Amino acid sequence: LRHLPVTVKDENGNPRLAGVISMRDLFGLLVQRHVDLGLHTERLKKETAVLTHDESLLQLTKGAQALPVGRILREEKLDVTLAGVKRLILDLESVGTSKWSAFLAKILAVPKAPQVILVYDPAEHDESSLKSLEKLKGKKGFTIFQKPVDLFSFFHVLNTL
C-alpha cells in the first residue's frame, strides 16, 4: 500500500474521494512530530553515534554523534573514535554493501565495542548478504532493523540498551 485514500462526505452524506496521502509523506510527518521521542537524555545522545548518509535517519537520531562515513571507513584507530560510544547506529547502505562485513569485524575488534544497531534495505543486498544479516540477528551485540524501520521498536531499543 503506497497511498492512502482520503474521503469526505458530500452534502448528501455520500463519501467522495478527496485525494490521496503517500506513505512517504506520512513517514515524513511522523518524523517531524515524533523526533523528540528519540534520544531522551543527554547521556543517551553522548553515548550514541550514527554512521549514515540518510537524512531521515540523522533527523531521527538528532543529537547523537554523526560520524563522517568516509573517514570512519579509513580509520585505523576506531577505539579512539568510538571511545565512550555505547551504541552505534550503522546504516549499511552508507557503508557500501561490499564493505560492511569487513567494517563490522573492525568494529568488533575494538575493546569495549559498542552495541551495533544495523539498519538496512533488503533491496540493496544480494541473497548471500541477507543470509549473513539473518545470522547476526541472534548474536549478542547486534540489533537489526530492516527498512522501513518500525520507529517505536527502534526508539525502544535505543532507550533500553
Side-chain angles (χ1 to χ4, degrees):
L1 186 66
R2 295 180 61 127
H3 296 87
L4 298 173
V6 177
T7 60
V8 294
K9 291 189 178 184
D10 63 17
E11 60 276 352
N12 298 326
N14 298 320
R16 208 178 91 234
L17 181 65
V20 294
I21 298 174
S22 75
M23 295 303 283
R24 183 187 67 210
D25 292 342
L26 281 178
F27 181 75
L29 183 62
L30 181 70
V31 168
Q32 287 174 352
R33 288 194 177 171
H34 296 289
V35 75
D36 59 335
L37 291 177
L39 302 169
H40 294 297
T41 66
E42 287 304 313
R43 179 186 60 79
L44 279 172
K45 289 176 184 177
K46 280 193 239 176
E47 294 175 350
T48 305
V50 183
L51 194 60
T52 186
H53 289 303
D54 185 337
E55 289 298 321
S56 297
L57 191 54
L58 286 172
Q59 183 69 18
L60 281 171
T61 56
K62 195 173 182 178
Q65 303 172 48
L67 300 175
V69 177
R71 193 195 75 186
I72 296 297
L73 291 177
R74 294 185 306 271
E75 184 72 55
E76 292 299 320
K77 296 186 177 188
L78 275 179
D79 56 329
V80 174
T81 304
L82 297 177
V85 173
K86 293 193 177 174
R87 53 197 83 56
L88 173 65
I89 302 165
L90 176 59
D91 180 3
L92 292 186
E93 283 71 50
S94 294
V95 174
T97 54
S98 63
K99 298 177 184 174
W100 67 263
S101 59
F103 184 67
L104 281 179
K106 203 169 160 181
I107 290 171
L108 293 177
V110 170
K112 296 185 181 180
Q115 173 77 24
V116 178
I117 301 166
L118 297 174
V119 180
Y120 75 99
D121 182 348
E124 299 292 323
H125 299 274
D126 61 22
E127 192 173 327
S128 173
S129 293
L130 293 173
K131 284 181 182 177
S132 296
L133 286 167
E134 281 299 315
K135 288 179 186 175
L136 284 175
K137 278 189 179 176
K139 300 274 185 194
K140 185 179 179 188
F142 289 97
T143 306
I144 301 177
F145 287 97
Q146 181 176 316
K147 293 179 184 177
V149 173
D150 173 350
L151 294 177
F152 296 108
S153 296
F154 183 75
F155 287 125
H156 175 74
V157 166
L158 278 175
N159 288 297
T160 56
L161 288 176

